[in-house]
Amino acid sequence: DDLAELLEKAARAAAEEGGALGVCGGDGTVCLAAAVALRHRLPLAVFPGGPRNHFALDLGCESVEDTSAAVTGGQAATVDLARRTDLADGTASPFLNTFSIGSYPDLVRVRERWSRRVGSWPAGVLAAVHVLRTCEPVDIEVNGRRRSVWLLFAGNCRYSSWGPAPV
């Protein structure tokens, strides 16, 4: 089954029973689930299950047990859901925590592909070298003004990370 369809089905059931929508996955899966939960006016329980889990970690949910304890204890957090619009087709996509365009998503794709062979940190360094040599700027519009940028990294809510780069 398609993940979006499964989330819609689960959200309808949760709304009928007065519950919440739960999701286990990484930031992309959580973002999709957040849009569904918002549409159905449901709370969202985020169980970390992806490669980085930035959003879950920023909420203090470092494990499935952490999220389970928060749910059973009635603990919740309010977060902002932001929206970005694709200039090419006008579609709006929600995002939680962060989104990026330009060289950074390329770097992540290359790092994830290479990390299976050489490990995460070496793959990150090699991916950075590769992407910086081959990337091109992208055209964006910010507050009605068009710009050509190499990278746009937008944060929404609190964001923290590990490693030498400031966030």
Side-chain angles (χ1 to χ4, degrees):
D1 288 320
D2 179 70
L3 179 59
E5 290 175 25
L6 290 172
L7 289 168
E8 285 291 339
K9 182 179 177 182
R12 285 191 298 273
E16 288 173 10
E17 297 177 24
L21 180 63
V23 65
C24 180
D27 291 337
T29 301
V30 171
C31 188
L32 177 60
V36 172
L38 180 66
R39 199 167 33 257
H40 290 272
R41 299 189 169 277
L42 291 169
L44 179 66
V46 178
F47 296 87
R52 299 274 184 233
N53 302 305
H54 291 295
F55 184 69
L57 292 172
D58 287 344
L59 291 174
C61 299
E62 296 181 17
S63 67
V64 170
E65 293 78 19
D66 290 340
T67 303
S68 297
V71 169
T72 57
Q75 297 173 314
T78 302
V79 299
D80 293 325
L81 180 67
R83 179 176 54 99
R84 63 181 176 87
T85 304
D86 188 307
L87 286 178
D89 63 13
T91 57
S93 303
F95 73 93
L96 293 164
N97 213 31
T98 64
F99 87 90
S100 55
I101 57 175
S103 59
Y104 185 71
D106 293 340
L107 186 145
V108 170
R109 278 189 289 277
V110 172
R111 180 192 68 210
E112 288 178 356
R113 189 173 64 236
W114 292 353
S115 67
R116 294 179 202 109
R117 288 181 280 180
V118 298
S120 185
W121 285 106
V125 171
L126 294 170
V129 171
H130 172 75
V131 168
L132 291 174
R133 289 181 49 223
T134 61
C135 69
E136 301 270 333
V138 294
D139 294 328
I140 64 169
E141 184 177 312
V142 177
N143 295 331
R145 190 169 173 200
R146 289 191 176 262
R147 299 176 182 267
S148 181
V149 300
W150 292 94
L151 164 71
L152 173 68
F153 186 87
N156 176 30
C157 299
R158 183 177 152 240
Y159 182 76
S160 60
S161 184
W162 310 277
V167 294

